[in-house]
Amino acid sequence: MGDYNQLVVLDHIRRARESVSRVELAAVTGLSVQTISNVVGRLLELGLVEEGARQIAGRGKPRTLLHLRPGAGYALGAHIDPVSVTTVLLDLAGTVVDRSVVPTPDGSDAVVEAIAAEVARMRTLVPDGEVVGLGVAAPGPIDPEAGRVIHPPLMPSWGDVPLRDRMADATGLPTLLEKDVAAAMVAELWQRSTDRGGTTLFVYLGFGIGFAFAREGEVLSGSSRNAGEIGHLIVDADGPECFCGHRGCLGVSVALDRLVGEAVDGGVVPADTPRTTPTELDAAMARLAAAAEDGVGGAVAILERAGRRLARGIVIVTDLIDADSVVVGGANWERLAPYLTSAARLEFAGHATMRELHGVGVDGSAVGLWVGAVGAASRVLDAAFTPHASLLVAHPTGS
Ligand SMILES: [Zn+2]
């Protein structure tokens, strides 16, 4: 799938969701009808698209409609976080065919083994040879060139792990490693049927916070692919102390251990609530969110304050990259959503520098809780089937 036009046409057919005709493809891509016919012929030969119904439009000859063949390719994705390992099987249309979530086992050996077992099981669900590869999403920082995960937070036994090669050895599949938040951003871009124009900020709320950026459908990931590590952006000069020595850093303002600590101090959750391991912290955070939902004043105050600080950070970064849309996802998003959404509306109205020029929409992830794993699998499909500007440079012609 090296041909740029071929990828462009396939991408349009995939995103259209409904069947499209060759004439419509010519109109949206700007390619000639002859070029479209040639490209579609190759896509039909490769089995990536299928012809369906004939459409009668006006007096011209009926148009044969085309649609993607979702079973023409599959990708596997795994997302590792301190609490759980999620594995998904995606088809070419981006539909989740199967998924599983298991508690994160102790140590990287056991995690590799757990993912490999799920991968082996899911591969039996689709024809042999149709799986394009495996994507693994892990907390940053990562070294994508070497395929290594380097001291992931809250996973102290990990150290520096050559995760990509170990997953490839364990599964026999081509494997890529991506930072969780960048993978989640790819999932959003891959799943959207609308056009991918504009500049988007993706905010990932897990145990901490991560940011990713995309412009015109391309993720901007930086020189070492770790862009977005701005946990030490100061969003509240009177905020909580951070280990870096400053006060009110964004990361510490929304970190699970900090919010749970405030809930314990404020008597919102019992003082003996276990909160040592990531799993315990996650459960304690769920109690805090439930208390806030029940209207417990102290709980609401904690999450509203976190929402305001987060909104402040989002507005600063939105201004920095002049984004016109913000997408928020990750395991902690649903718990913070009610408090963040209202705070963000006020913050954008009052402080965003671009507010006179354009509005900024803040939406929840379309992909939901599985976004990290779906993103890792999407990244594999994306590498294989999506036209990128870098490809255009490498292949300036083509038909
Ligand atoms: Zn800090």
Side-chain angles (χ1 to χ4, degrees):
M1 288 302 296
D3 184 294
Y4 187 76
N5 285 343
Q6 198 165 310
L7 291 173
V8 168
V9 172
L10 183 66
D11 202 47
H12 276 287
I13 294 172
R14 183 176 65 74
R15 284 175 193 285
R17 306 278 174 186
E18 289 171 3
S19 303
V20 289
S21 70
R22 289 168 177 77
V23 174
E24 287 168 307
L25 286 170
V28 291
T29 59
L31 296 167
S32 71
V33 175
Q34 185 54 52
T35 301
I36 292 289
S37 287
N38 296 343
V39 170
V40 166
R42 286 202 296 276
L43 292 173
L44 285 166
E45 243 169 68
L46 290 166
L48 291 166
V49 303
E50 288 174 326
E51 290 189 315
R54 287 159 75 83
Q55 179 191 54
I56 297 164
R59 289 181 301 151
K61 81 174 185 189
R63 297 165 177 179
T64 305
L65 296 179
L66 298 156
H67 58 88
L68 190 74
R69 194 169 74 80
Y74 296 87
L76 286 147
H79 178 211
I80 302 163
D81 83 11
V83 170
S84 52
V85 175
T86 307
T87 310
V88 299
L89 174 67
L90 279 199
D91 69 17
L92 186 56
T95 306
V96 177
V97 177
D98 196 27
R99 67 187 171 204
S100 77
V101 185
V102 297
T104 306
D106 209 13
S108 59
D109 287 342
V111 168
V112 168
E113 223 170 89
I115 296 173
E118 280 308 309
V119 164
R121 184 183 65 75
M122 288 182 187
R123 285 178 81 176
T124 64
L125 305 175
V126 296
D128 244 3
E130 301 269 298
V131 175
V132 185
L134 167 67
V136 180
I142 60 163
D143 179 347
E145 298 291 314
R148 305 177 81 90
V149 174
I150 300 156
H151 300 286
L154 297 167
M155 296 158 82
S157 68
W158 272 56
D160 179 347
V161 179
L163 184 64
R164 182 191 60 205
D165 292 352
R166 286 177 54 194
M167 278 315 322
D169 287 345
T171 62
L173 285 170
T175 302
L176 60 82
L177 175 67
E178 189 67 86
K179 201 168 83 165
D180 48 12
V181 55
M185 173 108 242
V186 173
E188 286 296 327
L189 296 172
W190 182 262
Q191 300 274 335
R192 273 186 214 179
S193 55
T194 49
D195 84 281
R196 306 185 295 168
T199 299
T200 304
L201 167 64
F202 188 88
V203 185
Y204 187 86
L205 294 171
F207 279 86
I209 185 167
F211 289 79
F213 322 105
R215 188 170 172 275
E216 306 298 331
E218 295 275 341
V219 177
L220 307 173
S221 49
S223 60
S224 76
R225 302 252 294 279
N226 283 292
E229 295 286 345
I230 47 172
H232 296 291
L233 180 72
I234 294 170
V235 291
D236 183 352
D238 301 317
E241 267 176 36
C242 178
F243 65 85
C244 73
H246 292 118
R247 297 190 77 93
C249 294
L250 178 57
V252 72
S253 294
V254 295
L256 243 60
D257 55 347
R258 160 62 58 169
L259 299 177
V260 167
E262 286 178 15
V264 169
D265 293 345
V268 172
V269 300
D272 60 354
T273 304
R275 50 186 171 116
T276 309
T277 67
T279 306
E280 289 168 353
L281 268 179
D282 191 54
M285 180 67 201
R287 290 179 76 165
L288 167 58
E293 210 174 311
D294 290 344
V296 176
V300 172
I302 290 168
L303 296 187
E304 279 183 346
R305 193 161 56 224
R308 279 196 303 274
R309 289 171 177 157
L310 178 55
R312 184 78 206 111
I314 287 175
V315 168
I316 292 170
V317 182
T318 301
D319 277 345
L320 173 72
I321 63 168
D322 191 13
D324 55 3
S325 65
V326 178
V327 179
V328 194
N332 227 8
W333 155 242
E334 276 180 30
R335 295 166 182 161
L336 282 170
Y339 314 97
L340 171 63
T341 312
S342 50
R345 205 174 300 124
L346 285 173
E347 193 70 29
F348 273 111
H351 302 288
T353 307
M354 311 305 169
R355 65 184 185 276
E356 306 292 342
L357 286 168
H358 59 73
V360 180
V362 179
D363 294 303
S365 160
V367 186
L369 267 183
W370 320 99
V371 69
V374 172
S378 303
R379 181 74 182 75
V380 172
L381 295 174
D382 188 67
F385 297 113
T386 297
H388 290 287
S390 53
L391 256 179
L392 187 60
V393 174
H395 304 277
T397 54
S399 60

